[in-house]
Amino acid sequence: MEKMFFFVLFLIGLLIPFLFIKVKPSWIVWVPSFVLFIAAIAFYGKAEFFPGEGMADLAERLYFIIFGLTAIGSIVGGLIVHFLKNK
């Protein structure tokens, strides 16, 4: 069940750049991956330097995984859109 949840997050990140495929500036497809990457780094920093108590710490690390996995999917989706636009 957990693998399916993380795969769905990856797919969501993969599909986000396709929403911007018709927009003229080509750099716009990289904005979602950049924002998600910054969010993942922020949650990692929060979890590492200001740890919560018990389950709160676990939730912060889970947020890091969620944003990180979605950012990876968005980077892959951005690469696909980039190569589709260049052909």
Side-chain angles (χ1 to χ4, degrees):
M1 187 69 177
E2 299 89 20
K3 291 178 186 177
M4 188 174 81
F5 174 69
F6 291 122
F7 183 69
V8 167
L9 288 173
F10 178 78
L11 287 178
I12 289 171
L14 190 68
L15 294 176
I16 289 173
F18 284 96
L19 297 174
F20 301 109
I21 198 166
K22 295 291 183 186
V23 179
K24 272 291 184 208
S26 63
W27 57 268
I28 200 75
V29 297
W30 301 108
V31 171
S33 60
F34 182 71
V35 170
L36 290 166
F37 181 72
I38 295 297
I41 296 298
F43 273 104
Y44 178 75
K46 167 67 172 87
E48 188 67 31
F49 299 115
F50 305 105
E53 296 290 326
M55 293 300 282
D57 185 43
L58 180 64
E60 290 168 355
R61 294 188 188 275
L62 188 61
Y63 285 141
F64 164 68
I65 293 170
I66 288 170
F67 282 117
L69 201 62
T70 311
I72 291 170
S74 186
I75 290 169
V76 171
L79 287 171
I80 292 170
V81 168
H82 176 75
F83 288 125
L84 283 176
K85 277 184 146 181
N86 285 342
K87 285 190 173 195

